[in-house]
Amino acid sequence: MATRRTTTTITTEEPAEVMAPTTVATSTPAAEVEAPEASLVHVVKKKEFIERVSEASGVRKGMTKKVVDAMLKEMGDIMQEGTEMNLPPLGKLSINRQKEIGNAFILIAKLRRAKGMLAGKKPTVEGEEASIEDVETAETTES
């Protein structure tokens, strides 16, 4: 357990010429701090992205990699220019701000997706996903 160091100044009623204020170091236990929870955000890296696209399209991974590489390069170039892209089913992508830092560019982008572009899934309140069929079934039984 960690301790927190504090200082206390003690003064007496004697004249200042006789005795100066004294500082004494004391230690008190610090409040316990819980370790931060691990991030629940899943980062999709390029390899996993290529695998997903390959499975979804039915195209070999080698060919998919070439197409994805070309697509990402072109998207990066277009974003660098500040040009707006409207790419259904991804959505409408626009660059709000950009600045250059050292040997990199920082792009602040906004992506607007219509609710119908959620690939057959609608998020629920708990953050879980339910298919459109499940939602439609629930709506018809409630009516």
Side-chain angles (χ1 to χ4, degrees):
M1 177 189 273
T3 58
R4 182 181 307 159
R5 293 184 56 90
T6 59
T7 58
T8 306
T9 303
I10 301 172
T11 59
T12 61
E13 294 181 15
E14 296 179 25
E17 307 87 44
V18 176
M19 183 172 216
T22 307
T23 301
V24 178
T26 60
S27 296
T28 59
E32 290 189 26
V33 178
E34 293 182 26
E37 293 183 23
S39 175
L40 299 176
V41 176
H42 175 71
V43 176
V44 177
K45 296 192 177 181
K46 188 175 174 183
K47 183 177 180 179
E48 181 182 351
F49 182 69
I50 290 170
E51 288 173 8
R52 287 182 175 195
V53 172
S54 178
E55 287 177 21
S57 65
V59 179
R60 291 185 347 259
K61 285 184 186 176
M63 185 61 72
T64 303
K65 183 181 183 318
K66 290 178 185 177
V67 171
V68 167
D69 284 342
M71 181 195 70
L72 292 174
K73 185 202 176 300
E74 289 303 317
M75 285 181 71
D77 291 346
I78 292 169
M79 290 171 65
Q80 184 69 42
E81 295 168 1
T83 305
E84 196 171 275
M85 291 185 277
N86 193 359
L87 306 169
L90 175 63
K92 186 175 183 179
L93 183 84
S94 58
I95 305 300
N96 284 351
R97 296 182 306 261
Q98 63 178 315
K99 68 180 186 179
E100 186 175 353
I101 297 180
N103 61 350
F105 289 96
I106 306 292
L107 302 174
I108 310 298
K110 177 174 72 173
L111 176 65
R112 180 184 172 145
R113 293 190 81 187
K115 290 181 182 178
M117 293 182 179
L118 294 175
K121 296 180 181 177
K122 182 176 182 180
T124 62
V125 178
E126 296 292 321
E128 298 174 5
E129 295 182 353
S131 67
I132 294 294
E133 292 80 22
D134 294 339
V135 174
E136 290 172 352
T137 303
E139 289 174 354
T140 56
T141 56
E142 292 173 1
S143 299

